[in-house]
Amino acid sequence: MIDPVAKFPSELDQLPDRDTEETAEWAASLDAVAKAAGPHRAAYLMRRTLQHAEGAGLALPKLLETDYVNTIPSSSEPVIDGDEEMERRITAWNRWNAAAMVTRGSKYGVGGHIATFASAAWLYETGFNHFFRGKEGDGSGDQLYIQGHASPGIYARAFLDGRLTEAHLDKFRQESAGDGLPSYPHPRRLPWLWEFPTVSMGLGPLSAIYQARFNRYLTNRNIKDVSNSHVWAFLGDGEMDEPESTAALALAAREGLDNLTFVINCNLQRLDGPVRANFKIVQELEAQFRGAGWNVVKSLWGGAWDELFQLDTTGALVRRLREVPDAQVQTYQTRDAAYIREDFFGKDPALVEMAKLLSDDKILECFHLSRGGHEPRKVYAAYKAALSHKGAPTVILAQTVKGFTLGEGFASKNANHQMKKLTNDEFKNMRDLLELPISDAQFVDGQVPYGHPGADSPEVRYLQERRAALGGPAPARRSHAVEALPAPADKSFAAFDKGSGSQSMATTMAFVRLMKDLIRDKTTGKRWVPIVPDEARTFGMESLFPSLGIYSPKGQTYEPVDRDQLMYYREAKDGQILNEGITEAGSMADFIAAASAYSTHGEPMIPFYIFYSMFGWQRTADQMWQLGDQLGRGFLVGATAGRTTLTGEGLQHADGHSPVIAATNPAAMSYDPAFAYEVAAIVKDGLRRMYGEAAPGEDRDVFYYLTVYNEPMPQPAKPAGIDEGIVKGLYRFNTAESAGLTVPVNASRIQLLGSGTAIHWTLEAQKLLAEEWGVAADVWSATSWTELRRDALEADAALLRGEERTPFIRKVLEGVDSPVLAVSDYMRQVPDQIAQWVEQDWSSLGADGFGLSDTREAARRHFGVDARSIVVAALAQLAKRGEVPVTAVKEARERYGL
């Protein structure tokens, strides 16, 4: 008997073995096969045994990597439900027009990409003709995340089906006149066609996963049944290097998102060269996706390879395909048959014999042309398999040739991503290859013509009939005529008007209290989507757990440890809260899906995503741009805001710059409210503008960013007549006199503008200035430096058009004959945004530099934004004007220890 201990690693001794003799016999059998038939045969048997066990439902670790062959053999491919020859002609026209559009535009130097769509044409065409559900049928249709660099091919198809004209194609990447085509999928630029902006690579895959999840969320919460909607994400193999591309694979598998399919165009090339020059990207991706729990379908080789696989009786061909690195596969694409015979087949005696049975033409057909991603039957079979698989998402790894059909100058060349045009001779060769009826005479003045078979041609009729059967054109974005949501009751917002009296309240808590009231609204409450990245308790939101529930497709399969407590952790299949764990990127992807549901599904949802402000714009600003591009609506809330409000947290948590980044996003309405009533007024206005009755000419496709603070402070009552100022960005909170301070009749005066938590230091400084220096200070609340700046910029633009318009900042400061000192808990450049439009003398204070760990008081003294520093700065400004003695500045510095 063989000793099993000698055959297995020592750590396996810890596993119980009820029959060691049987175990040893299995091991001995494997040894015998390896000795008699070779290690490759032994490995083959092991893989097939594991595959069989997996298919039988045995609980075994999954096989992460299979041979470098198609998952679906030719004998198992379903028959295509359609006219393959007709689809070949349609695809040929699309290939031609995509290349022609980019080439014609190259004379203007606007660029464009040809090679990506050339490799992926059949991946799209098969979907458009057979699988992608449009939005004119039942439900919401499918959601298509188109690979950004493939956009010329999508435009070409829209031209063929009559949605675009030649004039449109000639305006590719020329948008300033208003009728051009954006370079990539951009809903803001072409809102009737594009749904999802995808060219910031990595965000498409991440967003597609959370879109599929949000579809389930809508269905499970009984908002809308979108169970028939399928999410298709078309991605590049090089794109999968982006960390966002694979960040949520486990989530998709964990929640069983079988309404999601990734189609990865494995042309083995990224922008500069091979994706995995010395390795195999397909095998790497297969292992990664299988390890995460996805169903994997590989479509690598075309039908021409069937003969070679039938000749492979020893497995030598499959072994060789596994060991050849991707860069060498690319080289085969560009070399003659003799080179391939020597380098590929010549490495193994069995392959040498096989090659003797193959003609040069056969070898070139296989290595130059025949790829799974270029044959509609292979693609059709893969898509069918994806839709029929239940319980997990599917990834299709389709091997293609980058630059396919564009000629020897393009195919598989490292530089083809930067190659923007074909010569006329190359176009004529392409025409002959595609068998298109385009004559030499149509090349007028040396310019390549567009091609179209005619609006009533069999090709166009077929295309339109197929799309009609699938629910209308695709891709397409719908602007649903959704009625304005009814405004919540005023009492929810007015609850903060009286202030908090002697009780202190942080603005973070004020926002959460407001949300609790709004979510209880009987008409719109169910449309709120609270999103939080595992910090709900930090923000005081744990009371929402039992009442709203945390969304989980499985509900709650366990008894929570805190079940006996009032605010216990409750998960539910119809839960309203999306608690994403520690992932700001995932939370933003959730937000984007919810923020655009008004268009995607015709269901306006109101997301609010609350996060540590430092980990918002700094970490996920690219997704905020994606949100703006996708015309998303909702509320982003940067909690624990400011550089000095988080005691002890230090540099990594001290946010002094988010409003700077937010100001760069044209779709972001950025606010830094100081008081609870300001938070309420801003949210009320946001609901009106985004979801209610927007004013004429007012852009509804915006989102609101509010910074709120964790520092408890007394909340004052709301002064009368300030709503316009709150929304537009500035209003006078009080004067020295209205604050009850005693100042001389002819006292020097200064205007103190404070935003957010800085208003409280400003009010303290106002008191010190009056009581210790006889200076009168008026305090203004600057709720939005950014909105003030944008209003001023619009006034400047109007002036260039010959229109007289006064910026709001000048209107509210009109008649003020005293200097202005602006203060915030952010970098000085935040308030300095408006400096050029302030006619009074201007200066500012802010928290520039890195954050630090200390008490709030010490941090504010360090940055020079505390009340006493404000006093010194105010006196210095007045001294320059000769309104206070210069000696007063020195005296103040010494008195306050500055």
Side-chain angles (χ1 to χ4, degrees):
M1 183 181 73
I2 299 175
D3 180 6
V5 175
K7 301 298 294 181
F8 297 97
S10 60
E11 62 265 19
L12 294 187
D13 292 348
Q14 300 176 54
L15 300 179
D17 188 347
R18 68 181 184 182
D19 193 336
T20 57
E21 185 173 353
E22 182 184 38
T23 303
E25 289 173 354
W26 274 81
S29 297
L30 187 64
D31 288 344
V33 172
K35 183 176 181 180
H40 297 297
R41 177 61 181 170
Y44 173 81
L45 289 176
M46 287 298 298
R47 286 197 300 272
R48 293 307 295 266
T49 301
L50 287 171
Q51 287 173 340
H52 177 80
E54 183 179 333
L58 296 182
L60 292 176
K62 288 188 178 294
L63 185 65
L64 296 185
E65 195 175 314
T66 61
D67 285 320
Y68 202 64
V69 296
N70 294 348
T71 303
I72 304 169
S74 297
S75 59
S76 299
E77 292 170 3
V79 177
I80 292 181
D81 179 23
D83 187 332
E84 292 185 56
E85 173 56 27
M86 186 69 72
E87 292 176 21
R88 185 198 66 78
R89 295 206 300 271
I90 291 171
T91 305
W93 285 115
N94 292 339
R95 288 181 181 278
W96 176 272
N97 287 321
M101 173 175 51
V102 176
T103 297
R104 286 166 68 116
S106 67
K107 65 182 179 181
Y108 302 109
V110 295
H113 301 286
I114 303 176
T116 295
F117 177 72
S119 66
W122 276 113
L123 302 180
Y124 291 107
E125 196 59 42
T126 303
F128 285 133
N129 285 325
H130 301 282
F131 295 98
F132 303 157
R133 297 176 66 250
K135 300 182 179 300
E136 295 175 2
D138 295 336
S140 302
D142 289 351
Q143 287 84 55
L144 307 181
Y145 288 78
I146 305 294
Q147 192 178 1
H149 293 140
S151 62
I154 308 304
Y155 291 138
R157 197 173 202 276
F159 168 64
L160 203 65
D161 72 10
R163 293 195 291 167
L164 292 175
T165 66
E166 286 191 14
H168 288 120
L169 300 191
D170 269 343
K171 289 291 185 67
F172 176 58
R173 293 193 169 197
Q174 300 171 68
E175 300 178 76
S176 60
D179 58 349
L181 301 181
S183 52
Y184 304 120
H186 279 300
R188 188 168 286 277
R189 292 296 181 218
L190 205 61
W192 59 268
L193 180 71
W194 298 120
E195 268 196 296
F196 308 108
T198 54
V199 82
S200 189
M201 289 189 288
L203 299 189
L206 179 68
S207 293
I209 290 172
Y210 280 89
Q211 181 65 56
R213 181 172 184 255
F214 190 74
N215 289 357
R216 291 279 173 84
Y217 173 89
L218 287 178
T219 300
N220 288 337
R221 288 196 56 220
N222 297 313
I223 301 293
K224 183 178 182 179
D225 185 357
V226 295
S227 54
N228 287 329
S229 290
H230 199 86
V231 178
W232 300 83
F234 290 83
L235 317 167
D237 47 1
E239 180 179 5
M240 301 310 293
D241 283 346
E242 291 283 5
E244 296 89 350
S245 295
T246 55
L249 298 187
L251 167 73
R254 182 168 65 246
E255 299 203 358
L257 298 181
D258 50 23
N259 60 338
L260 170 68
T261 298
F262 276 15
V263 182
I264 303 182
N265 178 16
C266 297
N267 57 35
L268 313 185
Q269 287 183 256
R270 50 188 176 201
L271 308 190
D272 287 333
V275 178
R276 292 290 183 273
N278 296 297
F279 307 94
K280 303 193 78 65
I281 185 61
V282 168
Q283 300 300 91
E284 179 181 319
L285 290 174
E286 178 185 26
Q288 192 170 14
F289 277 86
R290 281 187 183 275
W294 287 53
N295 176 47
V296 179
V297 177
K298 295 197 289 193
S299 183
L300 308 180
W301 308 111
W305 284 83
D306 289 347
E307 179 184 341
L308 275 68
F309 288 125
Q310 290 169 4
L311 294 173
D312 184 29
T313 57
T314 67
L317 176 62
V318 173
R319 291 197 300 273
R320 181 67 178 137
L321 289 173
R322 282 177 60 90
E323 69 187 24
V324 175
D326 283 351
Q328 191 63 21
V329 173
Q330 298 295 89
T331 299
Y332 295 148
Q333 174 69 32
T334 63
R335 299 301 178 90
D336 60 20
Y339 178 89
I340 298 171
R341 284 182 187 277
E342 178 182 352
D343 192 86
F344 181 83
F345 292 98
K347 304 297 184 183
D348 188 299
L351 293 180
V352 171
E353 295 303 313
M354 179 189 294
K356 292 177 181 178
L357 304 176
L358 303 174
S359 67
D360 284 356
D361 286 345
K362 181 65 176 179
I363 289 175
L364 294 178
E365 180 187 12
C366 288
F367 284 84
H368 284 195
L369 302 174
S370 188
R371 300 289 188 275
H374 294 323
E375 298 192 8
R377 291 193 180 192
K378 306 293 184 187
V379 177
Y380 185 89
Y383 287 5
K384 272 276 194 183
L387 291 181
S388 63
H389 186 84
K390 300 303 177 186
T394 294
V395 60
I396 295 170
L397 303 174
Q399 186 163 266
T400 65
V401 174
K402 194 167 185 178
F404 188 66
T405 72
L406 296 180
E408 294 181 359
F410 262 84
S412 289
K413 295 298 174 65
N414 283 339
N416 60 21
H417 188 79
Q418 280 72 37
M419 297 163 70
K420 312 299 183 186
K421 60 184 177 180
L422 298 174
T423 66
N424 281 353
D425 286 342
E426 287 172 326
F427 267 112
K428 290 173 182 178
N429 291 334
M430 181 183 176
R431 169 199 63 190
D432 297 340
L433 175 66
L434 298 176
E435 300 177 351
L436 290 172
I438 297 173
S439 67
D440 289 355
Q442 290 176 260
F443 287 75
V444 179
D445 296 328
Q447 180 165 260
V448 58
Y450 293 120
H452 200 292
D456 197 39
S457 64
E459 292 92 335
V460 173
R461 289 201 306 272
Y462 180 88
L463 181 156
Q464 293 176 341
E465 288 168 1
R466 300 300 299 187
R467 288 311 316 159
L470 287 166
R477 180 181 180 276
R478 299 182 75 175
S479 297
H480 294 268
V482 179
E483 292 185 6
L485 294 180
D490 273 343
K491 66 178 181 179
S492 297
F493 305 104
F496 300 97
D497 290 355
K498 294 182 180 180
S500 62
S502 59
Q503 180 185 5
S504 292
M505 177 194 300
T507 50
T508 296
M509 183 53 65
F511 177 83
V512 171
R513 287 188 184 180
L514 176 62
M515 289 304 105
K516 290 178 182 177
D517 284 346
L518 295 176
I519 289 171
R520 293 191 188 103
D521 186 87
K522 292 182 179 180
T523 54
T524 60
K526 67 178 182 179
R527 297 193 175 276
W528 285 90
V529 183
I531 302 168
V532 60
D534 202 36
E535 287 279 6
R537 298 182 192 277
T538 301
F539 308 137
M541 293 175 61
E542 67 269 28
S543 62
L544 298 177
F545 290 169
S547 58
L548 300 183
I550 300 164
Y551 172 74
S552 170
K554 288 186 175 294
Q556 193 155 39
T557 62
Y558 60 91
E559 183 178 356
V561 67
D562 54 358
R563 183 62 183 87
D564 58 342
Q565 298 179 15
L566 180 63
M567 293 184 287
Y568 71 98
Y569 194 86
R570 184 175 76 88
E571 296 187 84
K573 191 172 182 179
D574 63 349
Q576 193 165 351
I577 301 170
L578 292 172
N579 191 315
E580 292 305 346
I582 305 174
T583 168
E584 286 82 8
S587 300
M588 267 307 301
D590 257 338
F591 186 90
I592 292 168
S596 52
Y598 73 92
S599 172
T600 309
H601 295 298
E603 294 288 344
M605 304 298 288
I606 313 172
F608 76 86
Y609 165 35
I610 187 168
F611 49 89
Y612 261 91
S613 66
M614 182 67 163
F615 306 139
W617 288 85
Q618 174 170 302
R619 185 166 289 183
T620 57
D622 197 12
Q623 288 178 285
M624 273 80 162
W625 274 100
Q626 180 189 7
L627 170 64
D629 283 343
Q630 200 163 312
L631 310 180
R633 305 168 185 171
F635 296 94
L636 295 175
V637 185
T640 61
R643 182 147 279 165
T644 69
T645 62
L646 272 174
T647 54
E649 288 286 2
L651 186 153
Q652 292 89 350
H653 288 67
D655 177 18
H657 51 277
S658 284
V660 178
I661 308 174
T664 66
N665 191 313
M669 308 289 293
S670 180
Y671 288 92
D672 186 25
F675 304 123
Y677 65 76
E678 292 178 355
V679 172
I682 293 165
V683 171
K684 181 179 181 181
D685 182 70
L687 289 172
R688 174 200 61 79
R689 178 169 177 173
M690 295 184 291
Y691 300 97
E693 298 293 345
E698 200 171 29
D699 185 4
R700 295 168 63 91
D701 298 321
V702 296
F703 59 93
Y704 280 60
Y705 172 56
L706 285 76
T707 50
V708 293
Y709 298 84
N710 69 323
E711 184 175 9
M713 300 295 288
Q715 296 296 325
K718 181 180 179 181
I722 62 169
D723 287 281
E724 181 187 30
I726 292 175
V727 172
K728 290 192 173 181
L730 184 68
Y731 67 93
R732 180 153 42 195
F733 176 72
N734 69 14
T735 64
E737 293 78 7
S738 67
L741 300 173
T742 302
V743 292
V745 175
N746 295 319
S748 299
R749 187 172 292 271
I750 190 167
Q751 308 300 312
L752 301 180
L753 278 58
S755 67
T757 194
I759 199 79
H760 300 287
W761 329 324
T762 305
L763 288 168
E764 186 180 347
Q766 178 191 43
K767 184 177 180 181
L768 290 172
L769 283 166
E771 294 178 350
E772 300 187 11
W773 305 97
V775 172
D778 300 341
V779 174
W780 301 69
S781 179
T783 55
S784 179
W785 308 103
T786 300
E787 287 308 301
L788 291 171
R789 174 180 174 80
R790 287 176 178 166
D791 173 78
L793 288 172
E794 290 173 6
D796 287 354
L799 186 62
L800 290 176
R801 298 191 300 267
E803 304 171 15
E804 288 292 336
R805 179 175 161 187
T806 303
F808 183 76
I809 181 63
R810 286 187 180 161
K811 285 182 181 178
V812 294
L813 292 177
E814 187 176 4
V816 171
D817 185 23
S818 53
V820 172
L821 174 61
V823 188
S824 87
D825 202 23
Y826 293 94
M827 303 168 68
R828 287 177 60 180
Q829 69 191 83
V830 175
D832 284 348
Q833 292 181 86
I834 65 169
Q836 73 183 82
W837 292 280
V838 175
E839 297 176 320
Q840 293 78 7
D841 290 343
W842 171 274
S843 66
S844 63
L845 296 176
D848 285 76
F850 288 111
L852 77 165
S853 299
D854 214 313
T855 64
R856 292 182 177 121
E857 293 76 14
R860 286 163 189 164
R861 172 56 61 93
H862 169 80
F863 287 111
V865 294
D866 63 320
R868 287 164 176 77
S869 297
I870 295 172
V871 169
V872 173
L875 292 174
Q877 201 169 359
L878 291 169
K880 286 182 182 179
R881 295 163 57 96
E883 296 183 18
V884 299
V886 174
T887 56
V889 181
K890 180 181 178 182
E891 182 184 348
R893 280 201 303 266
E894 293 174 350
R895 182 184 302 181
Y896 300 140
L898 296 180

